Amino acid sequence: MAHRIGYLIGSLASDSINRTLARALVRLAPPSLELEEIPIRGLPLYNRDDELEPVEAVTEFKRAVESAEGLLFVSPEYNRSIPGALKNAIDWGSRPWGHNSFARKPSGIIGASTGAIGTAVMQSSMRSVLSFLNAPQLNAPEAYITFRPEVFGADGEVHDESTRDFLAHYMEEYGAFVERVLSLTAPGHVGDR
């Protein structure tokens, strides 16, 4: 039976290169993973005043994160950090205190940029955030993708064999990581309801 994996795309742009990368990852995922996007576009800006009575978009977002068995973050790097829309989603999902939707979710981080170091600085920041959220992370292989338009088709096809092999390997490793984490964790966490 396939594990339900929610993926979050850090860019809101409809033509985002990370959306293109996500399509490729969906195509290359092993049969043990069933990937579905968890959209972040409709979330309001996080405000502590609204934590206890959030709008429906926040409730739906938290429900989607909680129903996923694992999470994959596919994100660009904005100003050498986590894009604001993605960080906003993470802040909503982790609140109110004691209702952290990300806890114990096996997580992977991957991203593409047109630059040579592909999202490395964003991923470093993201690892710190996920550690605080108690979301176990796939630490290796790391995946900083330099995006070249001739390599990726709009439908998720990868035209370069070495890139396709690397991304397929990344997804296989993530799938194995999900299996390991889910076999070791048990429900319940001090402070969570």
Side-chain angles (χ1 to χ4, degrees):
M1 186 170 190
H3 294 290
R4 294 179 322 277
I5 305 300
Y7 65 93
L8 291 81
I9 300 173
S11 171
L12 300 180
S14 60
D15 64 347
S16 165
I17 61 177
N18 282 275
R19 184 167 297 286
T20 300
L21 174 60
R23 286 187 196 106
L25 297 174
V26 169
R27 281 182 75 132
L28 295 169
S32 63
L33 302 178
E34 181 182 300
L35 279 79
E36 183 174 334
E37 182 178 358
I38 299 175
I40 63 173
R41 175 181 287 282
L43 295 172
L45 289 176
Y46 170 76
N47 182 340
R48 184 176 56 84
D49 293 344
D50 301 325
E51 275 184 6
L52 299 179
E53 294 183 20
V55 297
E56 184 63 25
V58 171
T59 304
E60 288 176 12
F61 173 75
K62 287 182 67 70
R63 191 177 304 124
V65 170
E66 290 165 8
S67 70
E69 294 176 86
L71 299 167
L72 189 60
F73 296 89
V74 185
S75 180
E77 178 176 291
Y78 288 179
N79 299 320
R80 299 199 176 218
S81 191
I82 303 166
L86 179 56
K87 182 61 169 64
N88 183 61
I90 291 168
D91 292 342
W92 273 119
S94 67
R95 306 298 296 178
W97 188 257
H99 296 272
N100 174 12
S101 302
F102 296 99
R104 298 174 309 281
K105 302 287 182 182
S107 301
I109 311 167
I110 186 170
S113 77
T114 56
I117 60 171
T119 75
V121 181
M122 177 283 294
Q123 291 189 38
S124 177
S125 297
M126 189 70 156
R127 290 188 189 286
S128 178
V129 171
L130 291 175
S131 291
F132 178 78
L133 297 177
N134 191 26
Q137 305 162 48
L138 174 66
N139 292 312
E142 296 176 311
Y144 315 119
I145 309 303
T146 301
F147 187 85
R148 296 187 323 271
E150 66 274 12
V151 170
F152 292 90
D155 62 351
E157 189 171 311
V158 181
H159 304 295
D160 175 74
E161 184 178 357
S162 65
T163 303
R164 184 173 52 251
D165 289 349
F166 175 79
L167 294 175
H169 173 70
Y170 178 86
M171 293 306 291
E172 288 284 346
E173 289 289 340
Y174 177 68
F177 175 72
V178 168
E179 291 287 341
R180 286 192 306 274
V181 171
L182 295 180
S183 70
L184 296 173
T185 60
H189 182 267
V190 175
D192 284 350
R193 292 184 192 166

